[in-house]
Amino acid sequence: MIKKLLVIIFFLHTFSIAAEGKDKEIVQLPEPQYDKGLTVGEALNIRRSVRSFSSKKLVLREVSELLWASSGKTFDGTTAASRTYPSAGGLHPLNVYLVTGGVEDIKDGIYKYESKDHTITLLKEGDYRKSLAQAGLGQSFIRIAPVCIIITALYNRTGMVYGERGTVRYIHMDAGHAAQNVCLMSASLGLGTVAVGAFIDEKVKNILGLEKEVPLYLLPVGHPSGK
Ligand SMILES: Cc1cc2nc3c(=O)[nH]c(=O)nc-3n(C[C@H](O)[C@H](O)[C@H](O)COP(=O)(O)O)c2cc1C
């Protein structure tokens, strides 16, 4: 009897996961182009914090490059696949979200980036930039920029291996690397961004619907105004 019950629970559980997956809206991003844009040196040299954006939308290709730079998969042709950012112990504890109110061909909403297949999954539809700007202590450029890339961390993943030192130190180093990648890719694409650390954690968590992850960085990206 118990065996039968367990089998039924197993099937119900599997069915509900499959049903959840079926309803999800997944956008395949264009292949990242590794051989376009500025050299690393040129991008480093022109990178500045940009806090003034035009209302011009981004195109999906730009979103693809930015998200790939944040934490996408890499393969140098010889060793195992890795990610665009170095990570203590190769644990890669970061997740990346996209809040958009201005990307051509996709719905406004909150998306989660999946590096394994270079896709974004729609979590919530709608323009959440205003709420995000409020969570960001009223920094109004967050509301104006067409997208905001949000880097979050799963503290347990690194903490379980490296303890408290790993949690407070390594994870923040990882996030710094990923954020700088976004800054450099923005510069290379002729876009602008600023790394924002001043926000109310709980508010950002509520907007994204996070439970275990902690938001570390907001990176609003767009066309610098006047360009
Ligand atoms: C950890 C961190 C947090 C930051 N938080 C904010 C922020 O909340 N708002 C903002 O406008 N700039 C923020 N900045 C951007 C800095 O103000 C900026 O990098 C600095 O003034 C140097 O200017 P530059 O980026 O143009 O070289 C932050 C930068 C870092 C590294």
Side-chain angles (χ1 to χ4, degrees):
M1 180 65 189
I2 291 176
K3 217 173 160 187
K4 261 189 188 165
L5 211 68
L6 284 174
V7 171
I8 291 169
I9 290 170
F10 172 77
F11 276 112
L12 282 176
H13 182 65
T14 312
F15 178 74
S16 72
I17 289 175
E20 250 175 53
K22 215 175 117 214
D23 290 345
K24 278 187 181 160
E25 224 171 287
I26 297 173
V27 179
Q28 180 66 59
L29 297 170
E31 273 285 294
Q33 298 181 310
Y34 315 110
D35 55 350
K36 300 272 182 336
L38 306 181
T39 65
V40 176
E42 287 167 334
L44 281 166
N45 197 39
I46 64 159
R47 184 214 62 82
R48 295 285 177 283
S49 290
V50 172
R51 299 181 182 83
S52 178
F53 301 99
S54 78
S55 57
K56 187 174 171 190
K57 288 186 172 190
L58 295 194
V59 294
L60 207 52
R61 191 187 61 75
E62 290 167 326
V63 169
S64 163
E65 305 292 332
L66 291 163
L67 291 175
W68 176 74
S70 74
S71 58
K73 244 175 43 180
T74 60
F75 180 58
D76 69 4
T78 51
T79 48
S82 186
R83 303 279 199 98
T84 51
Y85 71 97
S87 172
L91 296 171
H92 298 107
L94 308 177
N95 281 327
V96 175
Y97 294 83
L98 179 81
V99 173
T100 169
V103 178
E104 277 171 20
D105 303 324
I106 62 168
K107 288 178 183 165
D108 291 351
I110 299 177
Y111 294 81
K112 186 172 184 209
Y113 177 55
E114 302 291 348
S115 64
K116 65 177 187 320
D117 43 15
H118 197 52
T119 57
I120 47 174
T121 303
L122 182 64
L123 304 179
K124 283 189 198 178
E125 198 178 331
D127 188 350
Y128 287 87
R129 290 175 301 166
K130 196 171 164 200
S131 318
L132 201 58
Q134 281 162 359
L137 311 180
Q139 300 186 74
S140 56
F141 51 83
I142 298 171
R143 178 170 49 80
I144 310 288
V147 305
C148 188
I149 291 172
I150 303 179
I151 298 174
T152 71
L154 269 164
Y155 277 79
N156 277 353
R157 191 176 293 173
T158 303
M160 268 160 61
V161 178
Y162 292 112
E164 202 189 325
R165 188 169 182 276
T167 310
V168 297
R169 193 181 288 209
Y170 293 167
I171 286 180
H172 301 156
M173 291 173 172
D174 281 17
H177 299 308
Q180 175 74 347
N181 288 351
V182 175
C183 293
L184 294 180
M185 184 55 86
S186 299
S188 176
L189 294 169
L191 301 170
T193 188
V194 54
V196 170
F199 54 81
I200 298 164
D201 292 0
E202 280 311 312
K203 286 195 176 173
V204 176
K205 281 176 80 167
N206 283 341
I207 293 166
L208 298 185
L210 303 179
E211 283 173 17
K212 292 184 183 146
E213 292 156 61
V214 178
L216 294 179
Y217 252 143
L218 312 184
L219 293 136
V221 189
H223 292 270
S225 59
K227 279 199 176 173

